[in-house]
Each structure stands twice: as structure tokens, then as C-alpha cells.
Amino acid sequence: MELANDLPNLIESRKLRDLVHKMPVLSTHLLNSPQELRLAHLALGFITMGYVWQEGQHAPAKILPRALAVPYWVVSRRLGLPAVLTYADSVLSNWKLRDPSKNMDLVISLPGGGSCRGFFLVSLLVEMAASSGIKGTLEVMHAVENKDPASVNRGLLDLTASLKKMKEIFKLMKLTVCGLYYFRWRDNPMLPEGLVYEGVSNEPVLLSGGSAAQSTAIQCFDALLGIQHDNESGAFLTRMRDYMPPAHRQLIETLSDCPSLRDFILSCANPDLKQAFNDCVLALEDLRTYHVSAVTKYIVVPANRAQETGHSDRGAGDKLDATGTGGSSLLVFLKSVRDTTPTLNDFLLHYVF
């Protein structure tokens, strides 16, 4: 925790690797509660990212020392998570109350100052806004099973309001480079073979990094509304579930296996219910459209500009226009999942309304 709490300074001064090499191999047997394990996963994940990418993307470490690799691997196995920094770590587990007024701060950060802090905290606020949508999703799921149109309508209204609130909070984020593209050793040309976890495996391990595609909330909303993405984007989203906590993964699978909401709406012939569904799909499409524009404005354009002028920070501008933190083709992926959403909406407008 001493290393994790001083991570921005240790990375910028390039002292982190030397200190990691002096670490003992810490035992994990005293970690018992889920909170302790999640904190350990968070700290080990951030230290690992700092260690691997301390010298920038053109000089990554190819071997993770035993002192990090062994406890990280054991903790990950106990949590059912991969041994890499995930969205569940950097966003869902990475906050604390700064003072009695309930202002929040990060537990662990990276170089980048307020921009990096803002990225993680606004992401957390978006997830908090999604919580009422998750409640609405569960209400709809149970209402469909019980054939209760009124409750389905109420749940859809809650989900729509949640999606609109998510978009408004998302507007607070002014995305920056912040080194977030470093979060992976799969589909990364700087570590094409992956990362060796010393004391765990003699062969390199390929793992994707933390990505908003690992947000359980959005995938739950897709599952409820019956939105299916094309082969490549759909396969990537499915793979991202492996980076979610097991209970989150199970919720998406449960929603996917539930009776079809669309079929239920077709059977009801209820104009208000149909409108509620349509409004919900439009709100999800609108959120994804804003995501595309925000990424273009705050990541792709500045990264390309930095690359053109040669002022990228240790290679910070390289390849950001092409690849996201999880290893996806960034704009191609975002536009694909966005465009799939109105396709379903157009289908329903034609056949349902």
C-alpha cells in the first residue's frame, strides 16, 4: 500500500521498478474478507501497471517479478478475476470518502493529476447513475415473468431516466490520454507475446486491460432490451465479461436467458408500454452516440495532434486512434455497438408501433 499510495511520484521519477525488486513475496493467507481481497487486487493491479509501463510504451517490462506476480495471481484466483487491472478495480473499487461531506477521492491513482483523477471518478459517477437503471432492469425482468405490464412500464421508465442521467454525468468528463492505453498485454504491439508472471508461468500470459466495455450495467441493459451486436463487437463484449466479478457476469447471463421483453411487448398491444420501450432504446442509443463524440474530441483528435507534432508523452499519442484500453479498435468498436442499437429500434418502429 505504501508503493500504491505513492504511485504517480514513483512512476514519474522512474523509481518504482527498483523498489518492486526489493519487495518480499507477500503472503495472501491473512486476506479473508471480499473487501480485503478487492483492495489487494486493486493495489497489486496498479503497481503492476506502473511497473510494466514505467518507461513508456516503447520499453515495457516483459517479466512481472515474483513479488508481484505470485500474490497477484493467488488473489485473482480467489476473486474469480484475471491478474490484470480491470474496470471493476480502477472504477468500482477505487474510491473513498475524502471528508464527512461525502466528497469522493481515488484510493490509488496514476500520473496525470486531475485529468486522471477525473477520468476514474466521473466513470464511477456514471456507474452510480446506472444503479437505478439496474433496479429498473430487475423490475422489468420479474414483471415479464409475472406478466405484469404496469410494472414493466414502470421499470422501463426508471431505466430511461437512468440512461439520461448517465449521459449528463458523462458530460463532466474531459477525457485525456492519461496513459490508459497501457492497460493490457493482449492485442498490444508493444507486448505482442504478452507478459510473463514469474513464479506462476514460464510462458507469457495474454490479458486485455480495463475497459468501459467491462461495465456490467451497459451489458445488462443490452441483454434486457434484446440488443445483439455484430460478430466482432459482440465477441469482444462477451470476452470482456471474463474481466467482471463473477456475480456481475452471472447477472448478464441470467438476463440473457430470461423471456424476451420484446415478445412480451408485442403480445400486450399496449401503446404506452411500446412507447416506454422505444424511449429506452433511444436513450441508450443517445448515450452511445455521445460516447463516440467524446472519445473523438478528447482522445483521438488530441492523440493524433500530439503524434503529428511529436509532443506525445513517452509515446502517449501513438496508436490511440486505433486501439482502446481493452484492446479493441476504439472508434470502430464504439460506432458498431452504437449503430446496432438504432437498428433494433428501427425494427421495432416498423413492426411494433
Side-chain angles (χ1 to χ4, degrees), residues 180-181 183-184 186-187 207-214 236 239-240 243 323-330:
L180 300 179
Y181 53 92
F183 283 20
R184 68 185 190 279
R186 173 173 175 163
D187 302 319
L207 290 171
S208 298
S211 166
Q214 295 164 13
F236 177 76
R239 178 158 64 84
M240 289 298 98
Y243 295 79
T323 316
T325 53
S328 63
S329 179
L330 190 56

mmCIF file of all heavy atoms in Angstrom, residues 180-181 183-184 186-187 207-214 236 239-240 243 323-330:
data_model
loop_
_atom_site.group_PDB
_atom_site.id
_atom_site.type_symbol
_atom_site.label_atom_id
_atom_site.label_comp_id
_atom_site.label_asym_id
_atom_site.label_seq_id
_atom_site.Cartn_x
_atom_site.Cartn_y
_atom_site.Cartn_z
ATOM 1 N N LEU A 180 -3.907 5.561 -20.220
ATOM 2 C CA LEU A 180 -4.851 4.472 -20.030
ATOM 3 C C LEU A 180 -4.714 3.383 -21.087
ATOM 4 O O LEU A 180 -5.153 2.259 -20.884
ATOM 5 C CB LEU A 180 -6.287 5.023 -20.045
ATOM 6 C CG LEU A 180 -6.581 6.059 -18.958
ATOM 7 C CD1 LEU A 180 -8.013 6.543 -19.086
ATOM 8 C CD2 LEU A 180 -6.363 5.466 -17.582
ATOM 9 N N TYR A 181 -4.130 3.716 -22.212
ATOM 10 C CA TYR A 181 -3.940 2.737 -23.279
ATOM 11 C C TYR A 181 -2.906 1.696 -22.884
ATOM 12 O O TYR A 181 -2.702 0.702 -23.575
ATOM 13 C CB TYR A 181 -3.483 3.446 -24.558
ATOM 14 C CG TYR A 181 -2.279 4.302 -24.333
ATOM 15 C CD1 TYR A 181 -1.006 3.801 -24.528
ATOM 16 C CD2 TYR A 181 -2.424 5.595 -23.854
ATOM 17 C CE1 TYR A 181 0.100 4.573 -24.271
ATOM 18 C CE2 TYR A 181 -1.322 6.381 -23.602
ATOM 19 C CZ TYR A 181 -0.069 5.869 -23.810
ATOM 20 O OH TYR A 181 1.019 6.643 -23.539
ATOM 21 N N PHE A 183 -3.080 -0.297 -20.458
ATOM 22 C CA PHE A 183 -3.654 -1.277 -19.550
ATOM 23 C C PHE A 183 -3.817 -2.672 -20.137
ATOM 24 O O PHE A 183 -4.809 -3.328 -19.882
ATOM 25 C CB PHE A 183 -5.038 -0.799 -19.095
ATOM 26 C CG PHE A 183 -5.015 0.273 -18.050
ATOM 27 C CD1 PHE A 183 -3.902 1.049 -17.836
ATOM 28 C CD2 PHE A 183 -6.126 0.506 -17.271
ATOM 29 C CE1 PHE A 183 -3.884 2.042 -16.879
ATOM 30 C CE2 PHE A 183 -6.133 1.500 -16.309
ATOM 31 C CZ PHE A 183 -5.015 2.274 -16.119
ATOM 32 N N ARG A 184 -2.916 -3.166 -20.912
ATOM 33 C CA ARG A 184 -3.140 -4.502 -21.456
ATOM 34 C C ARG A 184 -1.843 -5.123 -21.957
ATOM 35 O O ARG A 184 -0.899 -4.419 -22.299
ATOM 36 C CB ARG A 184 -4.158 -4.447 -22.605
ATOM 37 C CG ARG A 184 -3.640 -3.721 -23.831
ATOM 38 C CD ARG A 184 -4.721 -3.571 -24.900
ATOM 39 N NE ARG A 184 -4.149 -3.088 -26.147
ATOM 40 C CZ ARG A 184 -3.878 -1.824 -26.406
ATOM 41 N NH1 ARG A 184 -4.101 -0.903 -25.497
ATOM 42 N NH2 ARG A 184 -3.365 -1.476 -27.565
ATOM 43 N N ARG A 186 -2.500 -7.842 -24.266
ATOM 44 C CA ARG A 186 -3.114 -8.629 -25.336
ATOM 45 C C ARG A 186 -3.506 -7.626 -26.422
ATOM 46 O O ARG A 186 -3.993 -6.546 -26.127
ATOM 47 C CB ARG A 186 -4.354 -9.381 -24.833
ATOM 48 C CG ARG A 186 -5.125 -10.080 -25.959
ATOM 49 C CD ARG A 186 -6.238 -10.943 -25.441
ATOM 50 N NE ARG A 186 -7.007 -11.489 -26.557
ATOM 51 C CZ ARG A 186 -7.838 -12.513 -26.464
ATOM 52 N NH1 ARG A 186 -8.019 -13.110 -25.294
ATOM 53 N NH2 ARG A 186 -8.494 -12.948 -27.514
ATOM 54 N N ASP A 187 -3.291 -7.986 -27.679
ATOM 55 C CA ASP A 187 -3.564 -7.072 -28.800
ATOM 56 C C ASP A 187 -2.790 -5.772 -28.625
ATOM 57 O O ASP A 187 -3.282 -4.692 -28.961
ATOM 58 C CB ASP A 187 -5.069 -6.779 -28.914
ATOM 59 C CG ASP A 187 -5.888 -8.039 -29.108
ATOM 60 O OD1 ASP A 187 -5.435 -8.905 -29.882
ATOM 61 O OD2 ASP A 187 -6.968 -8.152 -28.501
ATOM 62 N N LEU A 207 -3.523 -10.828 -21.617
ATOM 63 C CA LEU A 207 -4.710 -10.326 -20.924
ATOM 64 C C LEU A 207 -5.063 -8.939 -21.421
ATOM 65 O O LEU A 207 -4.199 -8.084 -21.596
ATOM 66 C CB LEU A 207 -4.466 -10.274 -19.404
ATOM 67 C CG LEU A 207 -4.367 -11.620 -18.677
ATOM 68 C CD1 LEU A 207 -3.919 -11.410 -17.243
ATOM 69 C CD2 LEU A 207 -5.697 -12.350 -18.715
ATOM 70 N N SER A 208 -6.354 -8.713 -21.654
ATOM 71 C CA SER A 208 -6.836 -7.389 -22.034
ATOM 72 C C SER A 208 -6.823 -6.480 -20.819
ATOM 73 O O SER A 208 -6.815 -6.940 -19.679
ATOM 74 C CB SER A 208 -8.254 -7.474 -22.595
ATOM 75 O OG SER A 208 -8.299 -8.264 -23.768
ATOM 76 N N GLY A 209 -6.841 -5.180 -21.072
ATOM 77 C CA GLY A 209 -6.841 -4.222 -19.975
ATOM 78 C C GLY A 209 -8.234 -3.771 -19.618
ATOM 79 O O GLY A 209 -9.228 -4.147 -20.242
ATOM 80 N N GLY A 210 -8.303 -2.934 -18.577
ATOM 81 C CA GLY A 210 -9.570 -2.387 -18.151
ATOM 82 C C GLY A 210 -10.229 -1.594 -19.267
ATOM 83 O O GLY A 210 -9.566 -0.864 -19.999
ATOM 84 N N SER A 211 -11.525 -1.708 -19.412
ATOM 85 C CA SER A 211 -12.251 -1.062 -20.497
ATOM 86 C C SER A 211 -13.675 -0.803 -20.048
ATOM 87 O O SER A 211 -14.249 -1.578 -19.276
ATOM 88 C CB SER A 211 -12.253 -1.974 -21.737
ATOM 89 O OG SER A 211 -13.205 -1.541 -22.690
ATOM 90 N N ALA A 212 -14.273 0.286 -20.548
ATOM 91 C CA ALA A 212 -15.679 0.553 -20.248
ATOM 92 C C ALA A 212 -16.582 -0.546 -20.790
ATOM 93 O O ALA A 212 -17.730 -0.682 -20.357
ATOM 94 C CB ALA A 212 -16.093 1.909 -20.817
ATOM 95 N N ALA A 213 -16.062 -1.343 -21.723
ATOM 96 C CA ALA A 213 -16.828 -2.496 -22.211
ATOM 97 C C ALA A 213 -17.031 -3.533 -21.104
ATOM 98 O O ALA A 213 -17.855 -4.437 -21.240
ATOM 99 C CB ALA A 213 -16.121 -3.137 -23.402
ATOM 100 N N GLN A 214 -16.271 -3.390 -20.012
ATOM 101 C CA GLN A 214 -16.447 -4.275 -18.854
ATOM 102 C C GLN A 214 -17.479 -3.742 -17.875
ATOM 103 O O GLN A 214 -17.644 -4.302 -16.782
ATOM 104 C CB GLN A 214 -15.094 -4.459 -18.154
ATOM 105 C CG GLN A 214 -14.056 -5.174 -19.006
ATOM 106 C CD GLN A 214 -12.636 -5.024 -18.489
ATOM 107 O OE1 GLN A 214 -12.411 -4.592 -17.362
ATOM 108 N NE2 GLN A 214 -11.661 -5.356 -19.328
ATOM 109 N N PHE A 236 -16.201 -9.387 -28.745
ATOM 110 C CA PHE A 236 -15.372 -8.612 -27.821
ATOM 111 C C PHE A 236 -16.127 -8.340 -26.522
ATOM 112 O O PHE A 236 -15.572 -8.502 -25.423
ATOM 113 C CB PHE A 236 -14.960 -7.293 -28.474
ATOM 114 C CG PHE A 236 -14.161 -6.393 -27.570
ATOM 115 C CD1 PHE A 236 -12.824 -6.668 -27.307
ATOM 116 C CD2 PHE A 236 -14.734 -5.283 -26.975
ATOM 117 C CE1 PHE A 236 -12.080 -5.841 -26.471
ATOM 118 C CE2 PHE A 236 -14.000 -4.456 -26.137
ATOM 119 C CZ PHE A 236 -12.674 -4.738 -25.887
ATOM 120 N N ARG A 239 -16.205 -11.420 -24.434
ATOM 121 C CA ARG A 239 -14.902 -11.683 -23.816
ATOM 122 C C ARG A 239 -14.660 -10.755 -22.630
ATOM 123 O O ARG A 239 -14.042 -11.164 -21.632
ATOM 124 C CB ARG A 239 -13.791 -11.521 -24.860
ATOM 125 C CG ARG A 239 -12.395 -11.711 -24.324
ATOM 126 C CD ARG A 239 -11.406 -12.061 -25.423
ATOM 127 N NE ARG A 239 -11.244 -11.006 -26.397
ATOM 128 C CZ ARG A 239 -10.418 -9.969 -26.260
ATOM 129 N NH1 ARG A 239 -9.699 -9.847 -25.147
ATOM 130 N NH2 ARG A 239 -10.299 -9.068 -27.198
ATOM 131 N N MET A 240 -15.177 -9.531 -22.698
ATOM 132 C CA MET A 240 -14.997 -8.588 -21.601
ATOM 133 C C MET A 240 -15.707 -9.045 -20.319
ATOM 134 O O MET A 240 -15.363 -8.606 -19.221
ATOM 135 C CB MET A 240 -15.486 -7.199 -21.998
ATOM 136 C CG MET A 240 -14.616 -6.483 -23.017
ATOM 137 S SD MET A 240 -12.904 -6.168 -22.443
ATOM 138 C CE MET A 240 -12.022 -7.544 -23.194
ATOM 139 N N TYR A 243 -13.684 -10.357 -17.455
ATOM 140 C CA TYR A 243 -12.959 -9.394 -16.630
ATOM 141 C C TYR A 243 -13.883 -8.736 -15.592
ATOM 142 O O TYR A 243 -13.466 -7.812 -14.900
ATOM 143 C CB TYR A 243 -12.314 -8.329 -17.525
ATOM 144 C CG TYR A 243 -11.252 -8.908 -18.431
ATOM 145 C CD1 TYR A 243 -11.599 -9.590 -19.596
ATOM 146 C CD2 TYR A 243 -9.908 -8.819 -18.113
ATOM 147 C CE1 TYR A 243 -10.634 -10.157 -20.413
ATOM 148 C CE2 TYR A 243 -8.928 -9.377 -18.919
ATOM 149 C CZ TYR A 243 -9.307 -10.046 -20.079
ATOM 150 O OH TYR A 243 -8.338 -10.611 -20.877
ATOM 151 N N THR A 323 -6.644 1.957 -31.056
ATOM 152 C CA THR A 323 -6.862 0.912 -30.067
ATOM 153 C C THR A 323 -7.298 1.464 -28.730
ATOM 154 O O THR A 323 -6.740 2.432 -28.236
ATOM 155 C CB THR A 323 -5.554 0.108 -29.871
ATOM 156 O OG1 THR A 323 -4.978 -0.171 -31.135
ATOM 157 C CG2 THR A 323 -5.835 -1.192 -29.151
ATOM 158 N N GLY A 324 -8.301 0.813 -28.120
ATOM 159 C CA GLY A 324 -8.769 1.214 -26.801
ATOM 160 C C GLY A 324 -8.037 0.469 -25.709
ATOM 161 O O GLY A 324 -7.193 -0.390 -25.967
ATOM 162 N N THR A 325 -8.369 0.781 -24.454
ATOM 163 C CA THR A 325 -7.647 0.186 -23.330
ATOM 164 C C THR A 325 -7.849 -1.315 -23.243
ATOM 165 O O THR A 325 -7.000 -2.037 -22.739
ATOM 166 C CB THR A 325 -8.100 0.831 -22.009
ATOM 167 O OG1 THR A 325 -9.522 0.754 -21.921
ATOM 168 C CG2 THR A 325 -7.663 2.267 -21.940
ATOM 169 N N GLY A 326 -8.979 -1.805 -23.713
ATOM 170 C CA GLY A 326 -9.214 -3.245 -23.664
ATOM 171 C C GLY A 326 -8.622 -3.981 -24.842
ATOM 172 O O GLY A 326 -8.643 -5.205 -24.891
ATOM 173 N N GLY A 327 -8.119 -3.236 -25.821
ATOM 174 C CA GLY A 327 -7.528 -3.859 -26.993
ATOM 175 C C GLY A 327 -8.436 -3.821 -28.204
ATOM 176 O O GLY A 327 -8.119 -4.406 -29.235
ATOM 177 N N SER A 328 -9.583 -3.153 -28.107
ATOM 178 C CA SER A 328 -10.493 -3.072 -29.240
ATOM 179 C C SER A 328 -10.058 -1.957 -30.174
ATOM 180 O O SER A 328 -9.330 -1.055 -29.795
ATOM 181 C CB SER A 328 -11.915 -2.780 -28.755
ATOM 182 O OG SER A 328 -11.977 -1.519 -28.120
ATOM 183 N N SER A 329 -10.531 -2.019 -31.415
ATOM 184 C CA SER A 329 -10.352 -0.903 -32.327
ATOM 185 C C SER A 329 -11.348 0.155 -31.893
ATOM 186 O O SER A 329 -12.551 0.012 -32.065
ATOM 187 C CB SER A 329 -10.624 -1.355 -33.765
ATOM 188 O OG SER A 329 -10.464 -0.281 -34.648
ATOM 189 N N LEU A 330 -10.841 1.244 -31.331
ATOM 190 C CA LEU A 330 -11.628 2.139 -30.496
ATOM 191 C C LEU A 330 -12.871 2.698 -31.181
ATOM 192 O O LEU A 330 -14.011 2.368 -30.815
ATOM 193 C CB LEU A 330 -10.728 3.271 -29.999
ATOM 194 C CG LEU A 330 -11.284 4.190 -28.929
ATOM 195 C CD1 LEU A 330 -11.736 3.400 -27.718
ATOM 196 C CD2 LEU A 330 -10.223 5.208 -28.517
#
